[in-house]
Amino acid sequence: MATVWSGLKYSFHIIFHPFDGYWDMRHERRGNLYAALIICALFIESMLFCQQHGGFLMFDFNPRTYNVVRSIVSIAIPIILWCVANWSITALTDGEGRFVDIIMMTGYALLPVTLTNLTGALLSNAVIQNEVDFVYMVFGVGYVWSGFLLFCGVATIHQFTVRKTIFTIIITILGMFFIVFLALLFGSIIDKMVNFITGLITEIGLRI
Amino acid sequence: MRNRKGKSFVLIKRISGLALCALMMAWTANTALAAQDPEAPDQKSYTTSYWGSPAESPDPYVIEGRITGEKSGCGNFSGPSDIFRANDGNLYIADTGNNRIVVLNSDGKFLKEFKGADSAAGFHAFNAPQGVFVTADNEVYVADTQNGVVVHMDSLGNLIRTIEKPVGAVVSDTMVFAPTRVVVDDAGRIHVVSLFVNQGILEYSQDGGFEGFLAAGKVNPNPIEVFWKKISTEAQRNRMMDFVPIEYNNITLDSDGFIYATMAAMSKDVVIAEILSKKGTEEGTLVRRLNMLGNDIMRQQGFYPPVGDVDVTGSDLNFYGAYKGISTIVDVSCGDYGIFSILDNNRKKVFTYDGEGNMLYAFGGPNVAAGGFIAPISLAQDEERMYVLDAATGAVTVFRLTDYGQDIHDAIVLFETGSYDKSSEKWREVLRKNTNMDLANSGIGKALYRSGDYEEAMKYFKNASDKEWYSKAYKEYRKARIASAFPYAALALVAVFLFFTVKNLYARIKHFLKGGKA
């Protein structure tokens, strides 16, 4: 428990000192996987908070069609895909980071956007139309900051140069799409197979 | 619970629908129409919600009757194209297939017909006339399509003049002039829409001289198409489609003398993009309000631009049946205070908007057995009736305004004339009849805003999804809240300041007493 708590406290070191922080995370065993996962969960919660409690002027919330499970899945899946794709790619491009490192790096990188999401969602309830842009700026800062952290994280934990980092990130994103494509393909084939077999069984059952 | 209630409701609707259908079938038997499946799309009225889905509403208009040529006593119409309601209440119908203009009184009784115009030079017989317009002093303008002229005659059918194909530098000799619609404004200027003319509306001066084209449609070629055209050879280029502006298909004058012009969609994608972005742009406009310079001054303050149906995939079978895709607007009709209705030939519905572009209601529909249309082509209205001309059945469906429709109309008129409180009362009446009516919430909110009850107004604006007005009300509400909270906040600040000062002072004194330096 104490390590999780110190891992959470360490996240504030990382977001202000990304290179140093990620280096220590990778090499000095600082940071904690559970802490990173908690931040991921908080990030998802912050997105849900925005969707559900964000100001009426900025967020369209239709309770008739809103599905919280779908929301969670649609936020969590890209994070998981990112981790898997990044691990797959960096394993091929001689990245030094382990899968655990990638998850921790991603989790810690999501902290700024989590904080700005919460701030922005609260602020959006107290603004009028002219001030909406300020709130968008708050969100923008969070996303840019987190993006920068991801970049630093990939560069540091895999010991990449700048150019290789950019290249890896692009390939990782392509890899995410590729995984989705394969998953859909696999799903539809399995679906066809299951249909075929159940059809066969029903047919045999009817003849006997 | 809600679901069960819904189901039994549907069942009751179906049973009553069946009974109604049986009745209608017996009634329409003489027109030899194929009876439709009672499960088929019905004639539900609705408004479009903020979310773009249809929200069922009471009927703003109900069918009062059907006028056919047979019943009027002049023989059935054959492919009629245009209906016009003159100021004296008479209905003029361009009976294209029978080469005549038929005049009916407001009850649908036959008064007279024009097969052509008399003059000293001989009889000018109409040839498939598609448009008719009647001025305030009952002079008749006929767009005599196949003859390629606009005929101007007096109320007795004596030819006054003909307006021919324009000549001049801007008109090519090969241009085909086949006028389909004509309107004449109070100043006597004549505006003509012609087939095969895509430069805009032809404008003639009072004395019949050609003045020029009004409001040519803009061409908005797709960048990819432009690219292909750039790199293709001469021969290939000739085979490609030209980028041409869209033709207007109908025009109408409103009471202020502005021209409402409709056009079929140039591209489905443009209209869908416009619906999704919720913004009205010139490219996707299907109905324009033109000033004398030809600029579009249509207000588009509604949730969606006035393009007819917004739910283009039409997934809700309850409302649409088999009908999908964007609306094909074929006619527009203007009421007072900027209220206008457009006729959709795809969904067979009439969509009505207020002067700000807010959708008021959609009514009518494709279910022929229940009084729907097959090929609605023209729309006319008076204070309490709406006439829809169907080219396929050759019948005019007469709708009568209901209490609900009247309440909406009154609320708008009262607001426009400055009686905000009375308007708010009317809106409350509308809301009582239809809780889905966003505009009613908005209207009540505006009255509350004017009376200074910002907190209550915010609730109504939120219900109406009216962000602009919600923001205005919230601004005032926030101002009041800050003003009332300011003394406490200031007090708290002072308290905190005092606390630290005292604490600091106490530490210093303690330090001093211990024998240190102050």
Side-chain angles (χ1 to χ4, degrees):
Chain A
M1 203 61 224
T3 47
V4 174
W5 180 241
S6 70
L8 281 175
K9 278 196 288 188
Y10 186 60
S11 62
F12 284 94
H13 177 68
I14 284 188
I15 65 173
F16 292 113
H17 309 90
F19 287 105
D20 189 36
Y22 279 128
W23 180 269
D24 287 356
M25 185 191 85
R26 170 78 182 86
H27 297 282
E28 310 285 332
R29 295 194 152 273
R30 297 188 67 181
N32 180 285
L33 179 64
Y34 295 109
L37 290 178
I38 287 171
I39 296 172
C40 276
L42 283 177
F43 167 70
I44 294 174
E45 176 51 36
S46 78
M47 295 290 276
L48 299 183
F49 185 76
C50 269
Q51 289 168 3
Q52 295 175 24
H53 299 285
F56 158 68
L57 291 180
M58 292 178 61
F59 295 94
D60 283 339
F61 175 59
N62 187 354
R64 277 192 187 183
T65 54
Y66 189 76
N67 182 342
V68 74
V69 177
R70 199 173 55 200
S71 279
I72 292 175
V73 168
S74 68
I75 302 162
I77 292 252
I79 300 175
I80 296 166
L81 277 180
W82 159 268
C83 293
V84 172
N86 191 257
W87 177 62
S88 319
I89 302 299
T90 51
L92 295 176
T93 52
D94 294 333
E96 291 192 353
R98 298 162 299 166
F99 191 49
V100 180
D101 296 328
I102 293 170
I103 295 174
M104 279 163 68
M105 177 271 286
T106 311
Y108 281 128
L110 290 174
L111 185 64
V113 78
T114 307
L115 296 176
T116 53
N117 269 351
L118 293 174
T119 331
L122 290 175
L123 267 181
S124 69
N125 280 296
V127 292
I128 57 172
Q129 256 179 348
N130 299 347
E131 301 155 1
V132 158
D133 289 340
F134 292 108
V135 184
Y136 279 125
M137 203 184 72
V138 170
F139 286 120
V141 166
Y143 280 101
V144 170
W145 193 349
S146 281
F148 178 68
L149 285 184
L150 272 184
F151 179 83
C152 297
V154 171
T156 313
I157 66 170
H158 299 302
Q159 297 239 44
F160 282 165
T161 58
V162 170
R163 185 180 293 184
K164 198 169 179 184
T165 307
I166 295 171
F167 172 75
T168 310
I169 288 176
I170 293 169
I171 297 292
T172 302
I173 291 165
L174 290 179
M176 287 162 72
F177 285 110
F178 189 65
I179 293 171
V180 170
F181 169 71
L182 282 185
L184 288 178
L185 197 69
F186 189 70
S188 81
I189 288 171
I190 290 291
D191 183 51
K192 287 219 164 70
M193 269 172 65
V194 168
N195 272 347
F196 175 70
I197 291 167
T198 48
L200 214 62
I201 290 169
T202 348
E203 201 73 10
I204 290 167
L206 289 173
R207 307 277 153 146
I208 289 172
Chain B
M1 187 63 216
R2 206 178 145 194
N3 217 345
R4 224 167 48 204
K5 202 173 156 194
K7 258 182 195 162
S8 66
F9 181 64
V10 168
L11 199 70
I12 290 166
K13 278 231 128 172
R14 273 186 194 159
I15 292 167
S16 62
L18 269 169
L20 201 71
C21 284
L23 211 76
M24 290 287 180
M25 265 153 65
W27 187 51
T28 52
N30 62 336
T31 51
L33 298 173
Q36 285 202 350
D37 175 9
E39 297 278 302
D42 49 5
Q43 308 285 102
K44 273 181 190 161
S45 304
Y46 60 87
T47 56
T48 298
S49 75
Y50 175 75
W51 307 105
S53 50
E56 194 169 349
S57 81
D59 288 326
Y61 281 90
V62 288
I63 296 174
E64 188 184 57
R66 246 159 78 105
I67 303 171
T68 59
E70 193 69 48
K71 277 200 278 185
S72 316
C74 60
N76 269 332
F77 305 134
S78 162
S81 312
D82 195 13
I83 182 167
F84 185 87
R85 184 194 167 274
N87 279 357
D88 56 9
N90 289 344
L91 298 171
Y92 287 68
I93 294 170
D95 189 4
T96 312
N98 292 331
N99 304 324
R100 60 175 179 172
I101 304 296
V102 177
V103 187
L104 310 172
N105 71 6
S106 55
D107 296 326
K109 286 279 157 287
F110 174 70
L111 293 180
K112 57 185 168 183
E113 66 178 11
F114 300 112
K115 289 266 186 193
D118 273 320
S119 74
F123 186 72
H124 173 98
F126 296 141
N127 191 358
Q130 287 193 21
V132 58
F133 181 88
V134 185
T135 61
D137 38 1
N138 281 334
E139 288 179 359
V140 183
Y141 285 82
V142 178
D144 193 0
T145 310
Q146 289 296 323
N147 284 335
V149 291
V150 172
V151 176
H152 179 193
M153 56 190 192
D154 65 14
S155 56
L156 300 171
N158 297 314
L159 186 74
I160 297 173
R161 59 177 169 176
T162 58
I163 291 145
E164 318 261 337
K165 177 187 161 184
V167 283
V170 292
V171 184
S172 78
D173 292 337
T174 55
M175 188 185 94
V176 179
F177 185 58
T180 53
R181 295 290 187 272
V182 54
V183 297
V184 183
D185 64 18
D186 291 342
R189 275 189 306 267
I190 304 150
H191 303 273
V192 180
V193 170
S194 167
L195 292 174
F196 320 117
V197 172
N198 54 26
Q199 291 99 317
I201 298 165
L202 296 109
E203 193 184 16
Y204 293 83
S205 67
Q206 206 171 356
D207 53 15
F210 181 63
E211 299 236 300
F213 293 104
L214 193 73
K218 283 209 176 69
V219 186
N220 292 285
N222 184 335
I224 297 167
E225 283 171 22
V226 174
F227 171 76
W228 283 115
K229 208 153 203 175
K230 276 259 159 65
I231 62 165
S232 48
T233 63
E234 186 76 37
Q236 285 171 324
R237 219 173 294 166
N238 287 340
R239 279 207 303 274
M240 282 184 191
M241 251 196 335
D242 282 334
F243 304 139
V244 290
I246 197 80
E247 297 163 24
Y248 291 103
N249 58 16
N250 219 319
I251 48 176
T252 301
L253 271 185
D254 76 355
S255 50
D256 296 330
F258 293 105
I259 294 173
Y260 281 75
T262 60
M263 57 192 99
M266 170 151 51
S267 148
K268 192 180 161 188
D269 301 334
V270 174
V271 178
I272 290 175
E274 188 167 305
I275 291 170
L276 292 179
S277 75
K278 297 190 169 191
K279 285 199 187 83
T281 55
E282 204 168 327
E283 294 102 88
T285 317
L286 304 183
V287 52
R288 293 179 179 175
R289 187 182 197 219
L290 303 170
N291 65 9
M292 271 198 289
L293 297 171
N295 298 321
D296 186 6
I297 53 163
M298 175 74 79
R299 306 258 300 152
Q300 302 192 339
Q301 301 294 314
F303 296 141
Y304 296 92
V307 293
D309 234 308
V310 164
D311 190 358
V312 282
T313 52
S315 48
D316 195 336
L317 287 177
N318 238 346
F319 284 94
Y320 308 124
Y323 291 84
K324 284 184 181 180
I326 59 167
S327 295
T328 311
I329 308 303
V330 290
D331 198 6
V332 54
S333 169
C334 302
D336 43 7
Y337 294 96
I339 301 170
F340 67 97
S341 304
I342 52 180
L343 182 62
D344 175 2
N345 188 22
N346 179 24
R347 308 281 180 108
K348 330 283 182 200
K349 277 197 182 286
V350 179
F351 296 85
T352 303
Y353 299 86
D354 71 2
E356 299 289 306
N358 296 302
M359 182 175 166
L360 301 179
Y361 39 73
F363 64 95
N367 194 344
V368 178
F373 322 120
I374 296 175
I377 185 110
S378 189
L379 192 64
Q381 70 182 108
D382 58 23
E383 286 73 31
E384 49 190 23
R385 290 202 190 98
M386 187 80 82
Y387 304 93
V388 181
L389 179 64
D390 192 324
T393 60
V396 179
T397 308
V398 185
F399 288 91
R400 178 173 279 280
L401 196 62
T402 61
D403 283 353
Y404 171 70
Q406 188 69 50
D407 282 341
I408 294 178
H409 180 266
D410 290 349
I412 291 169
V413 172
L414 286 167
F415 188 83
E416 292 290 328
T417 49
S419 313
Y420 302 119
D421 290 338
K422 278 185 189 161
S423 164
S424 166
E425 274 166 34
K426 280 286 176 194
W427 279 129
R428 279 183 200 275
E429 189 62 28
V430 172
L431 203 59
R432 204 175 58 74
K433 288 171 181 151
N434 178 14
T435 45
N436 289 334
M437 189 71 185
D438 290 327
L439 209 58
N441 277 310
S442 197
I444 297 167
K446 279 174 195 167
L448 288 168
Y449 178 85
R450 275 172 214 282
S451 68
D453 190 351
Y454 302 118
E455 196 175 357
E456 196 65 15
M458 276 162 59
K459 279 184 202 158
Y460 279 97
F461 289 135
K462 200 166 184 175
N463 275 345
S465 303
D466 191 335
K467 294 190 176 184
E468 190 192 337
W469 277 90
Y470 175 86
S471 178
K472 280 183 190 175
Y474 180 65
K475 188 180 178 186
E476 300 300 329
Y477 172 71
R478 192 175 65 176
K479 207 188 275 174
R481 281 294 291 270
I482 289 173
S484 69
F486 183 76
Y488 302 106
L491 216 65
L493 216 67
V494 171
V496 169
F497 179 74
L498 275 178
F499 173 75
F500 282 105
T501 321
V502 170
K503 198 180 160 195
N504 202 354
L505 213 65
Y506 177 70
R508 278 176 183 225
I509 291 168
K510 216 165 145 186
H511 185 70
F512 177 72
L513 288 178
K514 270 186 181 171
K517 281 178 189 170

